[in-house]
Amino acid sequence: MSGLESLYQELILDHSKRRVGFGLADEEGRSATSHQHNPLCGDEITLRLRLDPDGETVRDVTWEGNGCSISQASASMMTELVEGMPRGEASALIDGFREALRSRGTIELDEDLYLDAAALSGVSKYVARVKCAMLAWVALEDDLARA
Amino acid sequence: MSGLESLYQELILDHSKRRVGFGLADEEGRSATSHQHNPLCGDEITLRLRLDPDGETVRDVTWEGNGCSISQASASMMTELVEGMPRGEASALIDGFREALRSRGTIELDEDLYLDAAALSGVSKYVARVKCAMLAWVALEDDLARA
Amino acid sequence: MLDLAAIRADFPLLGERVGDSPLVYLDSAATSQKPQAVIDAEVSFLTRSNAAVHRGAHTLAAEATELFEDARTAVAGFVGAAPEQLVWTSGATAGLNLVAYAIGNATVGRGAPASRRFALHPGDELVVTESEHHANLIPWQELAARTGAVLRHIPVRDDGTIDTDAAASVISNRTRVVAFPHVSNVLGIVNPVAQLVALAREAGALTVLDACQSAPHLPLDLPALDVDLAVFSGHKMLGPYAIGGLYGRSEVLEALPPFLTGGSMITTVTLDEASYLPPPQRFEAGTQPVSQAIGLAAAVRYLADVDMAAVHAHERALEARMGEGLRSIPGIRLLGDAEGVERVGLWAFDVDGVHAHDVGQFLDSRGIAVRVGHHCAQPLHRRFGLTASVRASAALYNTADEVDVFLEAVSGVRAFFGAGS
Amino acid sequence: MLDLAAIRADFPLLGERVGDSPLVYLDSAATSQKPQAVIDAEVSFLTRSNAAVHRGAHTLAAEATELFEDARTAVAGFVGAAPEQLVWTSGATAGLNLVAYAIGNATVGRGAPASRRFALHPGDELVVTESEHHANLIPWQELAARTGAVLRHIPVRDDGTIDTDAAASVISNRTRVVAFPHVSNVLGIVNPVAQLVALAREAGALTVLDACQSAPHLPLDLPALDVDLAVFSGHKMLGPYAIGGLYGRSEVLEALPPFLTGGSMITTVTLDEASYLPPPQRFEAGTQPVSQAIGLAAAVRYLADVDMAAVHAHERALEARMGEGLRSIPGIRLLGDAEGVERVGLWAFDVDGVHAHDVGQFLDSRGIAVRVGHHCAQPLHRRFGLTASVRASAALYNTADEVDVFLEAVSGVRAFFGAGS
Ligand SMILES: Cc1ncc(COP(=O)(O)O)c(C=O)c1O
Ligand SMILES: Cc1ncc(COP(=O)(O)O)c(C=O)c1O
């Protein structure tokens, strides 16, 4: 697999088109909205979610924004992954994701934990693209902090 | 003769102590006064003269200021040289002096024309010192333009 | 015709590889590569002649001062100017800020009586274009905000040309400054300097030319362009980082108040006040970029030896080949594809259905270095409905073969990302 | 003990000759010489990794960005700071102007709401010392003139120490800024930073330290000194020209409005306004001194490898030998000959009956490079009744033998010029 193909795996290109959760839900009834922006390339995302009444479970993640296929795929994969997840678990996944992405290829994301998003491990070898993959996750982190 | 001794000839060190014309005459009855300053080293000179009633002959050059031995000697030698000289001739000497000093050692000042000041030819090899030697001559030029 | 093999051999970096591919460097509008002669000039200075300039009396310092001032003469000459019309800056951004701040200083009464002519008054207007690099936009925004002046802009037409009809109504007798790029770093079009200068002159406005993208690419005679002030950056024209030039008409530089203050730009200093030297020293506070000036002089000597008219012709050929190739690839939209205009060798474009970052990554995997993003021109991108584009920019050392490698790669982008399928 | 032979071998220029004499370079306070490692770091970057940083997505650009940010970490670490507390500047002069202009910008309402704390109001005072280099004096004069603030100064005692008693009355609750040198470039005395910082803190004033002459010569921990802001210049600390650092406490940098504006320091830009990145990028408009940052990182690594405590001890020994020798030569008057103070390796002096320029020329004829003039400190010279002095300044690469050659030469000066005879 060439460098380019390991970065842009089928799964990633596929998610960048499917964009799970794309289309921002109405603000009403949502717990938090976060807007994130990468000033270096102009990419941006707005990510909104609802927490269960007990405040412990992530529900109905939706988002909007534009950016490269890595950023779009990452948002899509993450949305799929965290739906219905306890917030503590989601936070732990965000931390692990950040650590792996900053590892310059030394840490692989566990497929059992990260599902499709594990395909983003390859991004960590491209320092300039790490921010693209992180954008949605930072928005989620922000939402959880606000919610 | 070492480089240093050709720069600081006896005649120069001698003039730097004798300082012909040192001590600024009273402004009354003088035709012009010029103040010149070398911002790079802080050296300065104030030079005053009188022109004959016909406006054609340089008289009573006096000056004040402080600076290195080159600048003091140059002022002294010049003062001695131009006393009683027709202004046109003085102007021509200033031009020739500037040309020689800027020549990087390629033009020697003529002793018959420049008298003691001809000893300043050696300064032209020391680019950083050319301004020291020029200071009084620039003041004279300025005085002649004002007078 | 340039002897490209010889030229390329002068640039050590061009021999690098990216992964398995030879490097195809098409990012010279961001920063150019440096010929060995530039590197050697700096190294030789640092290892043999280095000393503080304009301040020392010792032999080494005198030599260094001479090399430094010779460099000024060389670089000034390259843009048609006299040495005392060239101020060293740390780059174009610093040069534009210098002008904006100096005008601000005149506005609050600093500088000699002659500086009053630059002072801004309520209702005064500053004019830029819609195609500005942020470096020629934000300093004017901030100047406007500090002084109460109004910032206006001349729009760009759909084809990337400056709307000179609109310019004639935007520029009025309220206009005090007209700042514009000689060549936009996104559009590559050589702007109609004479027309804009004529409008500004009629309005009595100061003209400020951003020559960043023209100085490296075409013969430049700033006095002939009749602008009041102009800036360029060394690192974009084969020279070192951290140096640039501000050219000014003598009469303008002489009247402008200082910007940065400190050592070497003064005559007399007391604890309470300072008096300032004439230009260019008035604008050169503190230790100057000495080795960089010497390096930049080597760069302009290199360019002049190659011959700027030949450089321009070569780059035009590359630009034409690139433009033609890109137009023929489905889904590519060129920015600023005006007909019948003079250009430098750069094209920015959008690939339908593929984000610029992905295009850049795809090209990088084939060794092709281009720039992706807004290229410090957000308003211009917004005007074309984009947040980012891909920009390929050539310099004298690029070849037609490299353009072909680039075109071949671009033609595979949409298929790879499954766009339009 | 330093291995001087090894160190000297690292500095190509030190092997030069002046006429018939080996060079004795005692002008490092003006600009230092550069070790081969610094030159190599820059050349290697330019020939192998050169590309625009923070802007490109291609491999070369990513590599360049990494080297550039590693350099920031190295240089910040050298002065005890975190990377985000270090802003690149083109030198100390630019750094001090940055601070003065940013305060001026806050005064006219620019910057975030947090910037208001820097705004100057009528009656506010700025305080410097009588020993200032023009770079830490004129920017404050101009800021005062632009804003209506009052500039005051702390006098220097006859022995060159800062009059801390007077400081206690000059600094008051009207004081908004206290700017002072860590080490004056004329006196060589390490100033009582803690005392001045305590007075400034009590007054609620911002402290600005000019660390130009300390950074190259002694272990420096800026956060431990507890100053708000500090500047230094690369070219004085074995690094390249055209680069310097501005250190700031995070809280202070975060609140300070921008100074230079342009590319790479913004988030969103419209034709009408821009929003700015957090520090350090907020203060780094335009293309940065990339290769120079990498060169400066090599310089601080070199210094750290030698060990700054050892450098300081070595230079103190040179300074003591030089001071003692000069005191024993008739007709020499040392400036700032205070007892019991910490010093760096420099002495400025006056030779009775011989102008400083003539002394410098005499020494130059023996290959000894010193600086003559006012050293950009006219007020300090005036305070000592002089317009010029001779300054000999050492760095880690100077030897005791060189000091002896220098002293031997100085002892012949007055006889040569017939002074006092
Ligand atoms: C104490 C001091 N402050 C400031 C400066 C200015 O540094 P630069 O000229 O590198 O900007 C110098 C050196 O000239 C200095 O010695
Ligand atoms: C048109 C234009 N203006 C200004 C600049 C700013 O130049 P620098 O970043 O070298 O200061 C650039 C390059 O980035 C440019 O392309």
Side-chain angles (χ1 to χ4, degrees):
Chain A
M1 201 156 56
S2 86
L4 195 70
E5 268 120 29
S6 80
L7 177 64
Y8 292 111
Q9 295 177 27
E10 268 316 308
L11 206 54
I12 292 179
L13 293 181
D14 182 49
H15 263 284
S16 77
K17 295 206 177 57
R18 272 207 289 138
R19 300 202 285 186
V20 177
F22 191 82
L24 207 56
D26 208 74
E27 196 151 4
E28 222 197 293
R30 306 294 144 171
S31 309
T33 305
S34 170
H35 179 78
Q36 296 296 325
H37 177 233
N38 181 350
L40 295 183
C41 58
D43 288 359
E44 46 190 341
I45 192 169
T46 307
L47 191 111
R48 187 165 283 167
L49 55 71
R50 185 165 73 74
L51 287 185
D52 258 358
D54 63 358
E56 286 310 316
T57 311
V58 176
R59 297 283 178 203
D60 300 339
V61 178
T62 59
W63 57 278
E64 214 168 66
N66 63 68
C68 63
S69 57
I70 306 283
S71 75
Q72 303 295 292
S74 182
S76 170
M77 292 161 157
M78 182 192 79
T79 302
E80 205 168 69
L81 176 67
V82 298
E83 181 60 39
M85 188 177 273
R87 71 186 289 171
E89 204 173 309
S91 291
L93 284 180
I94 296 168
D95 292 345
F97 189 80
R98 177 179 285 122
E99 200 189 337
L101 269 278
R102 289 192 181 161
S103 76
R104 295 166 183 255
T106 60
I107 302 180
E108 288 275 322
L109 291 163
D110 181 343
E111 268 187 58
D112 293 340
L113 282 176
Y114 284 92
L115 310 183
D116 286 2
L120 292 165
S121 292
V123 177
S124 76
K125 279 183 237 138
Y126 296 83
V127 180
R129 306 306 297 277
V130 169
K131 281 200 179 160
C132 312
M134 284 303 307
L135 203 63
W137 301 69
V138 170
L140 178 63
E141 187 173 42
D142 189 36
D143 270 348
L144 292 177
R146 289 161 188 257
Chain B
M1 202 157 56
S2 88
L4 196 68
E5 267 120 32
S6 81
L7 178 63
Y8 292 112
Q9 295 177 27
E10 265 321 305
L11 205 56
I12 292 179
L13 293 180
D14 181 51
H15 262 284
S16 76
K17 294 204 176 62
R18 271 206 290 140
R19 301 201 283 188
V20 177
F22 189 82
L24 206 56
D26 209 72
E27 196 150 6
E28 224 197 292
R30 307 293 143 171
S31 311
T33 305
S34 170
H35 180 78
Q36 297 295 324
H37 178 231
N38 180 350
L40 295 182
C41 58
D43 289 359
E44 46 190 342
I45 193 168
T46 307
L47 191 111
R48 188 165 284 165
L49 54 72
R50 186 164 73 75
L51 288 185
D52 258 358
D54 63 358
E56 285 311 315
T57 311
V58 177
R59 297 282 177 205
D60 299 340
V61 178
T62 59
W63 56 278
E64 212 167 69
N66 64 67
C68 61
S69 56
I70 306 284
S71 74
Q72 303 296 292
S74 183
S76 170
M77 292 160 156
M78 182 192 80
T79 301
E80 206 169 66
L81 176 66
V82 299
E83 180 61 37
M85 189 178 272
R87 71 188 287 170
E89 202 176 311
S91 292
L93 284 180
I94 295 169
D95 292 344
F97 189 79
R98 177 180 284 121
E99 200 189 337
L101 269 279
R102 288 192 181 159
S103 76
R104 294 165 184 256
T106 60
I107 304 180
E108 288 276 322
L109 291 164
D110 182 343
E111 267 185 60
D112 293 339
L113 282 176
Y114 284 91
L115 310 183
D116 287 0
L120 292 165
S121 292
V123 177
S124 77
K125 279 182 239 142
Y126 296 83
V127 181
R129 306 305 296 279
V130 170
K131 282 200 178 158
C132 311
M134 285 301 308
L135 205 61
W137 301 69
V138 171
L140 176 64
E141 187 173 43
D142 190 36
D143 270 348
L144 292 176
R146 289 160 188 257
Chain C
M1 284 281 298
L2 304 188
D3 179 350
L4 277 206
I7 289 176
R8 290 180 68 83
D10 291 333
F11 291 79
L13 196 134
L14 296 180
E16 289 288 302
R17 300 184 73 83
V18 180
D20 299 331
S21 315
L23 170 67
V24 175
Y25 189 75
L26 290 172
D27 198 15
S28 294
T31 200
S32 69
Q33 298 303 338
K34 331 293 173 204
Q36 193 64 45
V38 167
I39 295 169
D40 289 347
E42 269 207 79
V43 170
S44 154
F45 174 78
L46 290 176
T47 53
R48 293 215 291 266
S49 319
N50 178 49
V53 303
H54 280 311
R55 295 182 174 182
H58 54 81
T59 303
L60 211 54
E63 271 173 33
T65 303
E66 216 175 311
L67 288 166
F68 177 64
E69 289 302 329
D70 283 353
R72 190 193 302 274
T73 305
V75 175
F78 183 73
V79 295
E84 67 277 9
Q85 295 179 314
L86 180 73
V87 175
W88 299 119
T89 67
S90 62
T93 301
L96 293 163
N97 276 276
L98 186 165
V99 176
Y101 272 105
I103 293 173
N105 289 344
T107 304
V108 295
R110 304 304 300 156
S115 306
R116 298 295 163 274
R117 59 179 276 208
F118 301 113
L120 298 173
H121 304 284
D124 282 352
E125 295 179 356
L126 312 172
V127 171
V128 296
T129 75
E130 202 175 7
S131 65
E132 243 42 76
H133 186 283
H134 296 162
N136 203 22
L137 172 60
I138 313 183
W140 304 113
Q141 290 178 349
E142 287 286 333
L143 176 63
R146 286 198 305 274
T147 59
V150 175
L151 181 64
R152 304 192 60 186
H153 69 271
I154 304 168
V156 161
R157 298 193 189 96
D158 287 345
D159 67 359
T161 55
I162 286 185
D163 189 337
T164 39
D165 299 331
S169 65
V170 171
I171 298 171
S172 74
N173 58 9
R174 285 183 304 278
T175 308
R176 303 296 309 286
V177 175
V178 180
F180 60 98
H182 196 182
V183 174
S184 139
N185 64 317
V186 176
L187 305 168
I189 300 169
V190 180
N191 287 320
V193 176
Q195 251 178 294
L196 292 169
V197 167
L199 289 170
R201 281 261 176 286
E202 214 185 293
L206 198 73
T207 49
V208 180
L209 185 73
D210 176 354
C212 270
Q213 298 293 349
S214 55
H217 303 299
L218 44 83
L220 193 59
D221 185 333
L222 292 171
L225 289 178
D226 203 24
V227 292
D228 290 313
L229 296 153
V231 301
F232 50 87
S233 272
H235 71 100
K236 292 185 197 283
M237 48 197 287
L238 315 189
Y241 285 98
I243 185 149
L246 167 69
Y247 155 84
R249 291 204 302 122
S250 300
E251 184 219 340
V252 171
L253 283 186
E254 271 153 29
L256 210 59
F259 166 45
L260 299 181
T261 56
S264 301
M265 47 83 73
I266 51 84
T267 54
T268 307
V269 179
T270 67
L271 282 163
D272 298 315
E273 60 179 3
S275 22
Y276 301 114
L277 284 168
Q281 278 76 25
R282 184 191 301 156
F283 304 104
E284 297 180 343
T287 304
Q288 291 299 293
V290 181
S291 67
Q292 289 83 6
I294 289 161
L296 182 53
V300 301
R301 285 187 186 113
Y302 184 93
L303 285 168
D305 279 353
V306 173
D307 179 56
M308 287 308 290
V311 166
H312 186 37
H314 171 67
E315 293 180 22
R316 292 220 61 174
L318 296 180
E319 162 275 300
R321 191 181 191 99
M322 202 187 273
E324 213 169 301
L326 287 170
R327 271 180 220 104
S328 74
I329 301 172
I332 300 282
R333 173 182 159 216
L334 292 175
L335 303 190
D337 195 7
E339 268 172 58
V341 295
E342 200 185 342
R343 305 186 154 278
V344 302
L346 74 84
W347 283 105
F349 56 96
D350 179 53
V351 181
D352 186 33
V354 187
H355 190 276
H357 260 187
D358 294 322
V359 179
Q361 195 79 55
F362 181 88
L363 297 179
D364 184 53
S365 76
R366 280 157 178 71
I368 304 162
V370 297
R371 172 101 182 264
V372 298
H374 52 61
H375 319 311
C376 299
Q378 286 184 11
L380 183 65
H381 276 80
R382 205 169 290 121
R383 188 240 174 277
F384 287 114
L386 300 171
T387 55
S389 67
V390 181
R391 180 186 69 191
S393 57
L396 75 165
Y397 40 65
N398 289 114
T399 65
D401 284 351
E402 288 184 308
V403 170
D404 292 345
V405 169
F406 160 77
L407 290 170
E408 168 70 26
V410 173
S411 69
V413 165
R414 296 182 77 235
F416 180 86
F417 290 100
S421 57
Chain D
M1 285 283 298
L2 305 187
D3 180 350
L4 278 203
I7 289 176
R8 290 181 66 85
D10 292 333
F11 290 79
L13 196 134
L14 296 181
E16 289 289 302
R17 300 184 72 83
V18 180
D20 299 332
S21 315
L23 171 66
V24 174
Y25 189 74
L26 290 172
D27 197 15
S28 293
T31 199
S32 69
Q33 297 304 338
K34 328 303 173 196
Q36 193 64 43
V38 166
I39 295 168
D40 289 349
E42 269 207 79
V43 170
S44 154
F45 175 78
L46 291 175
T47 53
R48 292 215 292 266
S49 318
N50 178 47
V53 303
H54 281 307
R55 295 181 173 184
H58 54 81
T59 303
L60 212 54
E63 272 172 31
T65 304
E66 217 174 308
L67 288 166
F68 178 63
E69 287 303 328
D70 285 352
R72 191 193 300 276
T73 305
V75 175
F78 183 73
V79 296
E84 68 276 10
Q85 295 179 314
L86 180 74
V87 175
W88 298 120
T89 67
S90 61
T93 301
L96 293 164
N97 277 276
L98 186 165
V99 175
Y101 272 105
I103 293 173
N105 289 345
T107 304
V108 294
R110 304 305 299 158
S115 305
R116 297 296 163 275
R117 59 179 276 208
F118 300 113
L120 297 173
H121 304 285
D124 282 351
E125 294 178 357
L126 312 171
V127 171
V128 296
T129 76
E130 201 176 6
S131 65
E132 243 43 76
H133 186 281
H134 296 161
N136 202 22
L137 172 60
I138 313 183
W140 304 113
Q141 289 177 349
E142 287 287 333
L143 176 62
R146 285 198 306 274
T147 59
V150 175
L151 180 64
R152 303 193 59 186
H153 70 272
I154 304 169
V156 161
R157 298 194 188 96
D158 286 344
D159 68 359
T161 56
I162 286 184
D163 189 338
T164 40
D165 299 330
S169 64
V170 172
I171 299 171
S172 73
N173 58 8
R174 287 183 302 279
T175 309
R176 303 297 310 285
V177 174
V178 180
F180 59 99
H182 195 182
V183 173
S184 139
N185 64 318
V186 177
L187 304 168
I189 300 169
V190 180
N191 287 321
V193 176
Q195 251 178 293
L196 293 169
V197 166
L199 289 170
R201 281 258 175 289
E202 214 186 293
L206 197 73
T207 50
V208 181
L209 186 72
D210 176 354
C212 270
Q213 298 293 348
S214 54
H217 301 301
L218 43 85
L220 193 59
D221 185 335
L222 291 171
L225 289 179
D226 204 24
V227 291
D228 290 312
L229 297 153
V231 301
F232 50 88
S233 270
H235 70 98
K236 292 186 197 282
M237 48 197 285
L238 315 189
Y241 285 97
I243 184 147
L246 167 70
Y247 155 84
R249 291 202 304 121
S250 300
E251 186 219 339
V252 170
L253 282 186
E254 270 152 29
L256 210 59
F259 165 46
L260 299 181
T261 57
S264 301
M265 48 81 73
I266 51 83
T267 55
T268 308
V269 180
T270 67
L271 282 165
D272 297 315
E273 60 179 1
S275 20
Y276 301 113
L277 283 168
Q281 278 76 25
R282 184 190 303 154
F283 305 103
E284 297 180 343
T287 303
Q288 290 298 293
V290 182
S291 66
Q292 290 82 6
I294 288 161
L296 182 53
V300 301
R301 286 187 187 113
Y302 184 93
L303 285 169
D305 280 352
V306 173
D307 179 56
M308 287 309 289
V311 166
H312 187 35
H314 171 67
E315 293 180 23
R316 290 219 62 174
L318 295 181
E319 161 273 299
R321 190 181 191 97
M322 202 187 272
E324 212 170 303
L326 288 170
R327 271 181 221 105
S328 74
I329 301 172
I332 300 281
R333 172 181 159 214
L334 293 174
L335 302 189
D337 193 9
E339 268 172 59
V341 295
E342 201 185 340
R343 307 185 154 276
V344 302
L346 75 80
W347 283 107
F349 56 96
D350 178 52
V351 180
D352 186 34
V354 187
H355 190 277
H357 261 187
D358 294 320
V359 179
Q361 195 78 53
F362 181 88
L363 297 180
D364 185 53
S365 75
R366 281 156 177 71
I368 304 163
V370 296
R371 173 101 180 264
V372 298
H374 53 61
H375 319 310
C376 299
Q378 286 184 12
L380 183 64
H381 276 80
R382 205 170 290 120
R383 187 242 175 274
F384 287 114
L386 300 171
T387 55
S389 66
V390 181
R391 180 185 70 190
S393 57
L396 74 165
Y397 40 64
N398 290 113
T399 65
D401 283 351
E402 288 183 309
V403 170
D404 292 344
V405 169
F406 160 76
L407 290 171
E408 168 69 27
V410 174
S411 68
V413 166
R414 296 181 77 234
F416 180 86
F417 289 101
S421 56

